[in-house]
Amino acid sequence: MVNFTVDEIRQFMENKKNIRNISVIAHVDHGKSTLTDSLVSKAGIISSAKAGEARFTDTRKDEQLRCITIKSTAVTLCYELSDKDFEQIEQDKDPDKHLLVNLIDSPGHLDFSSEVTAALRITDGALVVVDCISGVCVQTETVLRQSIAERIKPILFLNKMDRALLELQLDQENLYKTFQKIVENVNSIISTYICDDSKMGDISLCPTIGNVGFGSGKYGWAFTLKEFADIYSQKFKIEASKLMKKLWGDNYYSAVDKKWSNQKCENNLRGFCMFVLDPIYKLAKSIINFNQCEYTKLIEKLGIEIKDKNVLNSGGKELFKLVMNTWLPAGDTLLSMITIHLPSPVRAQKYRTELLYEGPRDDDAFRAMHDCDSTGPLMMYISKMIPSGSRFTAMGRVFSGRAATGQKVRIMGPNYLPGRKEDLNIKPIQRTEIMMGRINHSVEDIPCGNICGLVGIDQFLIKSGTITTFENAHNLKVMKFSVSPVVRVAVEAKNLSDLPKLVEGLKQLAKSDPMVQCVMEESGEHVICGAGELHLEICLKDLEDVYAGIPIKKSNPLVSYRETVTEESSVNCLAKSTNKLNRLFMKASPLPEGLAEEIDSKAVYPSQDTKLRSKYLSEHYQLDLSYTKNIWCFGPDGNGPNLLINSTKGVQYMNEIKDSVVAGFQWVSKEGPLVEESLRGVRINLTDAVIHTDSMHRSGGQIIPAARRCMYASILSAEPRLYEPVYLAQIECSRSVIGAVYNILNQRRGIMLEELQNGNPQIVEIKAYIPVNESFGFSGEIQEKTSGKGFVQCVFDHWQVMDLNINEPSSKSMQIVNNIRRRKGLKEKIPDINQFLDKL
């Protein structure tokens, strides 16, 4: 039975200090959704019997069928805290003992990392779930890196402990070492990505603090050292907080001498093994082996109250689940960890606001966000759109003020600039909703510190944006995704009459996913870009079944490439305007190594202060200050990883032609000379120019084509190459099939990085680089050749330069170039430099 009504939940939303906004993040199949069921069950939304099997937050049919989470799902849960838990909250709290948890269950598959980013942006804490058998995997590191970048405080849960007990049957000392290794690995990742001046304080994870939990989401039981310290504190006459330190690390207890020691001897045992694991192991062994006499005594000794005594006769896994669930309920443990160790919005926004808000530190919007002030102007960030019938509900977080039904608000898209009207709409909110998983509930308004849904603004925002009532407000920072849409597929309607439905369906698909891009090529092709094969498969299914509702034809997956240069131009390239009255001289050269990645990550960006940027580029990349102060623009789209630099000296009328040269650069950086793909890591230097004195003869019509031809010539004279995207593949397989895995990697141009041994000696983890172009069908082939004993996860890692020899048509890179040119309807041969060069 549901514990609280919608009206009561709305009332509790006013208690900002008693709210926790959390994301559940993990690698795929580590048990996030089954663990979340315990919290949902604790709130009374589903029965405890269904917890671990219902997967309440997997709301789509394909999620239930595939047994993986595809979309982030938000649910608002309400609890009444016990006096004991309430007293242990050290941060500021409201006197009301009700706690509101806005929880978002996010996907674990690498292809859906954008959903994790959208979830993290609007939450303050993260429950990091790690499978204690598989350990820390590639996506665990990715989501931890994302959470730290967003200043999200983590707590850790080591899941699937039932497998360690019942399947692998690890002994107690080995299980302790497995736990210790995982905690160390997670802390190592945190220390790698945390800044020295982080304002979150100490976010390291340690079982002795109580921010690390252990248990089984499927069986619905969990514990921290706090639960066992409370049990034993009376026996040892020691405070629970001091005893927790004894139950972890090199602390050994001798039952004979009744003494603790930090040295291992013959007659002592590790505290964690003796006092925590031993009772669990004895219970598991006796129940699974149907030793009724023994487990009945243990149940009585531990004070576990089983209401139906007839169940005690059954034994086996069902009884083990019931006993453990009754003794150590997962919902209670998780709620305690969330309540005590994760921050309220009031606390979190004090250190997150300066990271999120792009405006000045002294305006009304910043102050209201910093103080989580419900009387201040409305500031809300929309992180994603959720399909709701033929419309979309905008899911977001209210950082200050209140979002109310009928309220007129400024809807600012990601390209909005203060003082301008582009990407700005002023419209009323039609409805505000509390997010409850499968069903949303309408309320009059939502105060700050809460996650909610808005209806009626979807037609003015594409994916994400800022909602405010403050006229001078700046945007909240745009989200940075950890993956790139490098896999593309072309789609067309089977029936030409359905083309308008396809176009409308593509618009809705682009809105529904934070990452997917739907573009129309110049050839008229409609192309969908996604993060990987599975991501594209889900998008195409949604397009066909939901958004367009028509049969579609799709091409084989295509890969996005980038064009670059590897040397400085061999000649100072000249191009004349059409009227022969203007001359432009240019050279192309590669950007210093690492700068393109810094531009991608927004460490260097166009709107940055020119002096600061010049100093940074000069110190870190040894670029001449005379160049760094004269960066005209970034490209493509004004923010890409390519630079146009004016290095002319004493040339007149340069400011008059600047816009025309910039327009030509944006065109070239969007469509390079090799295969009309975007440029990456290219610097174009405008070295000299001769400009006509009459403005009539130096118009855009004269300068733009000349600039384009000059840039093409300079690129072709600078050893042009293709960049191909590369995945980091993580392969888990049985030791017996490792040879087959290596053979497949060699056939697909894979590069081995490392081979790791996890807790299970029969399972090996291989990390390797594999080009995205070679990854199609990779997972299926691994499973086929290993008889299902291999499992693959691929995540985009970096761009890699391909060797390109124009004189060898049979080379792999030239085949790729020819295929792309043929597909795009271009001439098969790469254009000759003389087509673009002019002579003096």
Side-chain angles (χ1 to χ4, degrees):
M1 183 182 169
V2 178
N3 296 343
F4 300 96
T5 64
V6 173
D7 290 338
E8 287 174 319
I9 290 173
R10 170 60 192 85
Q11 185 185 332
F12 300 144
M13 284 182 166
E14 298 289 351
N15 304 329
K16 294 175 291 187
K17 294 173 184 175
N18 289 8
I19 295 171
R20 302 290 183 272
N21 296 308
I22 71 161
S23 300
V24 186
I25 57 176
H27 190 76
V28 67
D29 286 335
H30 279 208
K32 297 176 301 302
S33 299
T34 49
L35 191 65
T36 304
D37 277 359
S38 299
L39 283 167
V40 177
S41 169
K42 170 81 176 163
I45 294 173
I46 60 173
S47 69
S48 57
K50 286 186 176 179
E53 295 171 5
R55 302 204 316 280
F56 176 81
T57 49
D58 285 353
T59 55
R60 294 165 51 115
K61 283 183 181 177
D62 51 357
E63 287 180 325
Q64 292 285 346
L65 288 170
R66 290 172 181 265
C67 294
I68 63 165
T69 305
I70 293 168
K71 300 287 183 185
S72 294
T73 305
V75 58
T76 301
L77 307 170
C78 195
Y79 307 95
E80 188 167 3
L81 295 177
S82 64
D83 292 341
K84 190 177 178 183
D85 276 349
F86 191 72
E87 286 167 10
Q88 288 181 332
I89 301 175
E90 293 180 0
Q91 58 186 301
D92 292 343
K93 55 195 173 188
D94 288 310
D96 188 350
K97 290 181 183 174
H98 291 101
L99 183 83
L100 201 70
V101 176
N102 293 306
L103 180 144
I104 303 180
D105 180 30
S106 62
H109 197 285
L110 295 157
D111 282 8
F112 307 115
S113 291
S114 56
E115 292 281 341
V116 181
T117 310
L120 289 170
R121 167 53 61 91
I122 57 175
T123 52
D124 304 315
L127 173 59
V128 184
V129 184
V130 177
D131 180 345
C132 70
I133 307 302
S134 303
V136 174
C137 295
V138 61
Q139 181 68 347
T140 316
E141 182 171 349
T142 304
V143 295
L144 268 170
R145 185 178 72 239
Q146 285 178 283
S147 65
I148 291 163
E150 289 279 353
R151 291 191 184 171
I152 306 294
K153 192 173 183 181
I155 54 177
L156 177 64
F157 187 84
L158 305 183
N159 198 20
K160 302 196 181 181
M161 197 172 155
D162 58 293
R163 290 188 62 205
L165 297 175
L166 308 179
E167 289 178 30
L168 298 180
Q169 298 183 352
L170 295 177
D171 62 48
Q172 294 177 21
E173 185 64 21
N174 276 339
L175 185 56
Y176 166 78
K177 286 179 178 173
T178 302
F179 288 159
Q180 187 185 40
K181 183 183 174 185
I182 291 169
V183 174
E184 284 174 359
N185 287 348
V186 172
N187 278 325
S188 172
I189 293 166
I190 290 172
S191 62
T192 302
Y193 296 112
I194 193 80
C195 300
D196 295 334
D197 60 345
S198 173
K199 301 191 178 177
M200 287 191 286
D202 183 17
I203 61 167
S204 59
L205 300 162
C206 183
T208 59
I209 304 170
N211 59 5
V212 178
F214 312 83
S216 166
K218 184 180 178 182
Y219 282 68
W221 57 273
F223 63 88
T224 60
L225 295 188
K226 186 170 81 75
E227 276 76 24
F228 282 92
D230 289 341
I231 294 169
Y232 293 115
S233 61
Q234 294 176 348
K235 178 183 175 182
F236 287 104
K237 305 292 187 227
I238 304 176
E239 285 181 32
S241 57
K242 290 182 180 177
L243 188 56
M244 282 171 74
K245 292 181 173 64
K246 296 286 188 186
L247 296 179
W248 189 258
D250 293 330
N251 292 298
Y252 303 90
Y253 184 75
S254 169
V256 178
D257 301 332
K258 309 286 187 189
K259 286 183 180 178
W260 289 92
S261 169
N262 55 10
Q263 298 293 326
K264 178 77 178 93
C265 305
E266 286 184 13
N267 63 344
N268 65 12
L269 282 170
R270 192 183 295 276
F272 183 76
C273 297
M274 179 182 278
F275 297 111
V276 178
L277 292 183
D278 195 51
I280 296 172
Y281 266 68
K282 283 178 178 174
L283 257 180
K285 188 177 179 182
S286 57
I287 293 174
I288 297 301
N289 293 336
F290 297 91
N291 191 336
Q292 188 173 355
C293 182
E294 188 178 341
Y295 69 66
T296 306
K297 284 180 184 176
L298 279 168
I299 288 168
E300 288 176 8
K301 195 173 180 181
L302 292 167
I304 304 167
E305 295 180 11
I306 306 294
K307 292 177 182 176
D308 187 0
K309 300 295 181 185
N310 295 327
V311 180
L312 291 174
N313 300 325
S314 60
K317 288 185 179 180
E318 285 302 315
L319 178 62
F320 179 61
K321 177 181 178 180
L322 176 67
V323 170
M324 292 301 291
N325 196 339
T326 309
W327 180 33
L328 301 168
D332 291 0
T333 300
L334 292 171
L335 181 60
S336 175
M337 289 170 69
I338 290 164
T339 307
I340 296 166
H341 297 287
L342 293 184
S344 67
V346 176
R347 187 174 184 178
Q349 286 180 208
K350 290 192 186 310
Y351 55 76
R352 289 194 71 204
T353 302
E354 64 183 51
L355 182 79
L356 298 177
Y357 187 60
E358 291 185 335
R361 300 287 179 264
D362 57 354
D363 71 0
D364 292 348
F366 180 87
R367 285 196 296 268
M369 284 179 65
H370 182 272
D371 299 335
C372 196
D373 184 4
S374 55
T375 61
L378 169 67
M379 286 298 291
M380 180 177 181
Y381 187 77
I382 302 298
S383 69
K384 64 171 286 190
M385 297 285 182
I386 300 168
S388 178
S390 59
R391 297 288 296 275
F392 288 85
T393 300
M395 183 175 88
R397 159 84 173 268
V398 184
F399 286 98
S400 67
R402 292 171 185 270
T405 301
Q407 182 182 27
K408 215 168 202 181
V409 294
R410 295 167 66 83
I411 304 165
M412 307 189 305
N415 300 320
Y416 169 76
L417 292 171
R420 298 191 182 178
K421 292 186 177 179
E422 291 89 356
D423 216 0
L424 170 70
N425 290 281
I426 302 173
K427 300 290 176 185
I429 298 169
Q430 290 180 10
R431 199 162 69 244
T432 50
E433 296 182 333
I434 296 175
M435 314 295 284
M436 295 294 286
R438 291 177 170 87
I439 303 167
N440 297 339
H441 297 282
S442 299
V443 289
E444 190 176 331
D445 65 347
I446 302 280
C448 59
N450 289 284
I451 291 168
C452 68
L454 301 185
V455 176
I457 65 165
D458 54 318
Q459 54 196 316
F460 309 111
L461 277 181
I462 298 174
K463 294 176 187 286
S464 61
T466 305
I467 309 292
T468 183
T469 53
F470 182 48
E471 192 172 336
N472 299 319
H474 288 63
N475 265 358
L476 294 175
K477 200 168 281 183
V478 177
M479 294 180 291
K480 286 191 290 188
F481 298 118
S482 65
V483 290
S484 300
V486 291
V487 184
R488 300 141 58 93
V489 67
V491 293
E492 58 179 296
K494 281 187 177 177
N495 305 316
L496 284 176
S497 58
D498 288 334
L499 185 60
K501 289 182 181 177
L502 175 66
V503 173
E504 190 58 37
L506 287 167
K507 285 180 185 175
Q508 290 194 306
L509 176 64
K511 198 181 285 285
S512 72
D513 191 290
M515 169 60 63
V516 74
Q517 293 177 3
C518 300
V519 293
M520 186 175 176
E521 300 277 324
E522 283 191 4
S523 60
E525 273 186 320
H526 293 282
V527 176
I528 300 172
C529 311
E533 272 189 284
L534 181 62
H535 187 210
L536 273 183
E537 187 185 330
I538 297 295
C539 289
L540 290 168
K541 190 175 184 302
D542 284 351
L543 178 65
E544 196 164 6
D545 297 346
V546 182
Y547 302 123
I550 58 167
I552 59 173
K553 285 193 289 186
K554 51 186 179 286
S555 70
N556 291 328
L558 314 168
V559 177
S560 297
Y561 290 88
R562 297 287 182 269
E563 298 183 31
T564 191
V565 297
T566 53
E567 303 286 342
E568 188 177 18
S569 296
S570 54
V571 291
N572 196 11
C573 300
L574 160 68
K576 296 177 184 176
S577 59
T578 315
N579 58 14
K580 309 296 182 188
L581 299 176
N582 303 281
R583 297 175 187 172
L584 299 174
F585 295 86
M586 295 185 189
K587 277 190 170 186
S589 59
L591 287 180
E593 193 174 339
L595 180 53
E597 287 73 21
E598 293 237 287
I599 296 171
D600 282 339
S601 66
K602 301 293 185 281
V604 178
Y605 52 94
S607 58
Q608 197 172 4
D609 181 82
T610 307
K611 287 183 180 178
L612 291 175
R613 186 175 62 207
S614 296
K615 187 180 177 184
Y616 182 85
L617 292 174
S618 177
E619 288 177 357
H620 288 78
Y621 296 101
Q622 287 73 52
L623 291 176
D624 195 312
L625 277 172
S626 62
Y627 291 160
T628 58
K629 287 179 180 176
N630 288 300
I631 295 174
W632 268 6
C633 73
F634 291 62
D637 303 322
N639 56 13
N642 304 285
L643 299 179
L644 172 63
I645 296 175
N646 173 24
S647 56
T648 58
K649 297 282 193 298
V651 178
Q652 288 184 309
Y653 309 115
M654 290 306 291
N655 282 337
E656 280 81 351
I657 67 160
K658 179 179 176 180
D659 287 348
S660 299
V661 177
V662 165
F665 176 71
Q666 297 297 349
W667 186 358
V668 169
S669 60
K670 191 80 174 172
E671 297 176 0
L674 292 181
V675 289
E676 291 194 358
E677 291 280 358
S678 300
L679 298 184
R680 180 179 176 81
V682 178
R683 172 178 130 190
I684 302 285
N685 281 349
L686 178 57
T687 56
D688 199 4
V690 178
I691 311 299
H692 198 276
T693 54
D694 189 346
S695 59
M696 286 286 290
H697 296 300
R698 56 171 190 258
S699 64
Q702 298 293 332
I703 301 297
I704 293 173
R708 177 173 176 261
R709 284 188 294 108
C710 196
M711 289 174 196
Y712 273 175
S714 60
I715 291 167
L716 288 170
S717 65
E719 296 294 325
R721 294 284 187 274
L722 276 188
Y723 264 129
E724 68 172 342
V726 178
Y727 277 147
L728 172 65
Q730 185 181 39
I731 308 153
E732 281 185 17
C733 66
S734 171
R735 189 170 285 282
S736 60
V737 296
I738 199 167
V741 173
Y742 285 149
N743 285 338
I744 296 167
L745 280 172
N746 289 334
Q747 290 165 15
R748 292 174 176 265
R749 297 194 287 134
I751 299 171
M752 252 289 296
L753 292 178
E754 58 182 343
E755 184 183 309
L756 301 171
Q757 178 70 60
N758 274 335
N760 186 349
Q762 296 304 314
I763 300 294
V764 177
E765 184 185 301
I766 298 166
K767 287 187 178 179
Y769 287 141
I770 180 169
V772 173
N773 194 36
E774 303 285 350
S775 69
F776 304 122
F778 178 52
S779 179
E781 188 178 3
I782 288 280
Q783 289 187 339
E784 182 186 336
K785 295 287 173 67
T786 61
S787 304
K789 294 178 183 174
F791 177 73
V792 179
Q793 281 273 280
C794 292
V795 62
F796 172 73
D797 190 81
H798 65 277
W799 295 91
Q800 173 179 288
V801 176
M802 297 182 75
D803 289 330
L804 182 70
N805 190 340
I806 296 173
N807 299 320
E808 282 187 33
S810 60
S811 67
K812 180 77 178 175
S813 47
M814 274 309 296
Q815 287 175 13
I816 290 170
V817 167
N818 292 336
N819 288 339
I820 296 173
R821 293 188 68 85
R822 203 176 299 120
R823 177 171 57 81
K824 290 188 173 183
L826 306 172
K827 290 179 182 175
E828 193 154 325
K829 193 177 179 184
I830 294 172
D832 188 75
I833 188 171
N834 293 318
Q835 291 181 13
F836 306 112
L837 269 180
D838 285 329
K839 294 178 181 177
L840 273 171

